Amino acid sequence: MIKLIATAAFGLEAVVKREVIALGVSDISVLDGRVDFSGELSDIAKANIWLRSADRVLLNMGEFNANTFDELFEGTKALPWEEWIPENGKFTVTGKSVRSRLFSVPDCQAIVKKAVVERLKTRYKTEWFKEDGPEYKIQIGLLKDRATLTIDTSGPGLHKRGYRPIASPAPLKETLASALISLTYWRGDRVLLDPVCGSGTIPIECALMAKNIAPGLNRAFVSETWPCMPGRLWKDARAEAKAVEIADIQPQIFGSDIDPKAVELAKRNTIKAGVGDFIRFETKALKDITLPGRYGITVCNPPYAERLGSAAEVGRLYKDMRSVFAPDATWSLNVITPDEFFEKTYGKKADAKRKLFNGRIKTDYYQYAGEKPGRNR
Ligand SMILES: C[S@@+](CC[C@H](N)C(=O)[O-])C[C@H]1O[C@@H](n2cnc3c(N)ncnc32)[C@H](O)[C@@H]1O
């Protein structure tokens, strides 16, 4: 068994935990910003290919108390680096230290690098490493004097699905978009609408979920280049993912935006993501929208006054939202925004409010629940 960590943005740990459970792995535990679990080598491939809301998958090499540089050196040297890093492996060390005696991150990085080199020197019986082979990004994390040593298995962050090479001016991270959908009552048979869709991230992530398409199916991961990860593990994980895609579902997903260029971009990205047939896009101002059906779910990130548009325009948009969505009590509205006065301008207190980060921006996710289908249908 190997120990793995799925890193999660602040506030999304519970969503990532659900995704980790779905992988069928064991020993799952949740900590701030991460979900730990144990699995087989093949779970490195599965986790990278399947996790929708996690930022990356790390291999947890070991944890130990490190109050002094000596303890850090010896603890690092005792770990089995040679099981993962080949003789020609190229490795870098990054670090962070929170509330720990060893607070100089550059010194900790240098010590970890030296300890790994010492370990590999004795194992490979050499004094000199060319470092011209596959890449290994080691991280030393110190939290309250406890060191955690990891190797990144993902490479570019998991939000890089490969379908969005170009984005609109203020795009939402794909990982956050899928988490926003998971935090609603949306299921494959419910209508989903993003009336300010920009480059289409929310509708695209929703279509991938509806069709059970693995988000990482069409991209590469750094651990694919590692000799210890046989190519067949990746081939099998991708074949298994293809086999569970749902063909016979026609999801009802809608996206619109006032900007025709954004809509064009959204359409292009949708085709790249392989879900071009499942989303209907149109150029339309939010105030002119006709709701596409009943019991629908709106998930959106309207423009932030500090990034796009003026405060007055953004305020007008919130009021338009109220007049479009409030008349139909079967619709749910879910809005992510850093605007502390959203509820005041919108004119109603949210049923739930959750703190999340959109990149570095502190935001709230305001959720207004609509009537559930079945009760009044
Ligand atoms: C923050 S961006 C949305 C980003 C999107 N989620 C993405 O991932 O690319 C906000 C979008 O709202 C659109 N917008 C602004 N005012 C609008 C209005 N009155 N009606 C419809 N769309 C509007 C902008 O054109 C912009 O694309």
Side-chain angles (χ1 to χ4, degrees):
M1 283 298 220
I2 50 175
K3 288 187 170 180
L4 297 166
I5 299 173
T7 61
F10 174 83
L12 297 185
E13 293 90 345
V15 176
V16 172
K17 182 186 176 190
R18 264 188 272 157
E19 296 176 0
V20 168
I21 291 172
L23 295 173
V25 291
S26 52
D27 307 328
I28 300 167
S29 62
V30 179
L31 297 160
D32 279 350
R34 64 191 250 197
V35 178
D36 289 24
F37 58 101
S38 301
E40 311 286 336
L41 207 49
S42 57
D43 290 315
I44 293 182
K46 278 191 204 152
N48 275 300
I49 288 173
W50 274 107
L51 292 179
R52 293 183 194 278
S53 306
D55 286 331
R56 48 183 69 247
V57 179
L58 309 177
L59 176 68
N60 188 348
M61 290 296 292
E63 298 182 40
F64 52 87
N65 293 333
N67 294 296
T68 63
F69 286 131
D70 271 352
E71 281 175 4
L72 180 62
F73 182 85
E74 293 304 330
T76 304
K77 201 173 147 218
L79 299 174
W81 299 98
E82 68 285 356
E83 287 177 13
W84 297 92
I85 306 178
E87 194 174 337
N88 66 346
K90 179 170 132 194
F91 60 97
T92 51
V93 183
T94 57
K96 58 180 179 196
S97 172
V98 178
R99 280 178 279 155
S100 298
R101 248 164 276 188
L102 301 180
F103 59 84
S104 164
V105 172
D107 285 335
C108 293
Q109 288 171 191
I111 281 167
V112 167
K113 175 101 192 186
K114 196 162 180 274
V116 177
V117 169
E118 281 309 310
R119 170 89 187 194
L120 295 180
K121 267 187 190 170
T122 38
R123 300 294 144 147
Y124 291 122
K125 306 206 176 356
T126 176
E127 285 295 311
W128 175 247
F129 294 102
K130 280 204 280 184
E131 295 207 43
D132 59 357
E135 209 181 321
Y136 298 79
K137 283 199 173 142
I138 297 173
Q139 193 185 62
I140 158 71
L142 281 152
L143 175 63
K144 293 188 199 154
D145 300 320
R146 190 144 179 92
T148 304
L149 281 146
T150 59
I151 308 180
D152 174 33
T153 72
S154 301
L158 295 183
H159 68 284
K160 301 223 164 156
R161 322 286 210 211
Y163 66 71
R164 202 177 71 176
I166 10 169
S168 63
L172 196 64
K173 258 188 168 183
E174 294 80 344
T175 39
L176 179 57
S178 89
L180 295 181
I181 300 163
S182 294
L183 289 167
T184 72
Y185 289 112
W186 178 83
R187 296 292 169 272
D189 59 344
R190 304 266 305 253
V191 176
L192 183 125
L193 163 68
D194 179 354
V196 286
C197 71
S199 56
T201 320
I202 293 169
I204 293 172
E205 288 299 316
C206 188
L208 294 174
M209 287 161 88
K211 305 293 286 178
N212 202 32
I213 297 173
L217 204 52
N218 298 315
R219 57 157 281 180
F221 302 94
V222 71
S223 47
E224 281 185 70
T225 63
W226 297 356
C228 60
M229 288 283 296
R232 96 186 129 69
L233 293 182
W234 296 93
K235 224 171 139 222
D236 290 352
R238 289 198 171 92
E240 279 165 27
K242 280 302 280 178
V244 295
E245 284 182 9
I246 304 173
D248 58 351
I249 187 171
Q250 181 59 44
Q252 301 180 70
I253 304 171
F254 300 82
S256 52
D257 198 286
I258 199 167
D259 177 359
K261 284 205 208 101
V263 174
E264 266 320 298
L265 185 59
K267 284 184 180 162
R268 279 210 297 276
N269 289 342
T270 305
I271 292 164
K272 248 188 142 221
V275 290
D277 294 340
F278 313 121
I279 307 171
R280 270 162 277 175
F281 285 110
E282 63 178 329
T283 304
K284 205 163 228 184
L286 186 137
K287 67 178 171 45
D288 299 327
I289 283 174
T290 314
L291 295 180
R294 306 201 73 206
Y295 298 97
I297 290 172
T298 297
V299 177
C300 65
N301 75 310
Y304 301 170
E306 62 262 40
R307 284 169 109 186
L308 307 159
S310 71
E313 280 167 337
V314 171
R316 179 73 253 155
L317 188 68
Y318 297 165
K319 291 205 168 77
D320 290 343
M321 280 185 185
R322 184 87 198 263
S323 44
V324 170
F325 296 106
D328 188 336
T330 70
W331 272 75
S332 304
L333 177 66
N334 302 274
V335 181
I336 183 170
T337 171
D339 188 340
E340 293 166 47
F341 300 107
F342 174 78
E343 288 165 302
K344 195 159 180 271
T345 319
Y346 180 74
K348 195 180 170 195
K349 208 168 154 26
D351 299 312
K353 185 176 153 187
R354 194 184 276 270
K355 288 215 173 310
L356 296 174
F357 275 85
N358 182 6
R360 283 162 191 260
I361 306 174
K362 211 166 134 199
T363 64
D364 281 297
Y365 192 34
Y366 296 93
Q367 300 192 277
Y368 297 87
E371 286 168 11
K372 291 205 177 110
R375 205 189 298 164
N376 298 328
R377 231 177 200 176

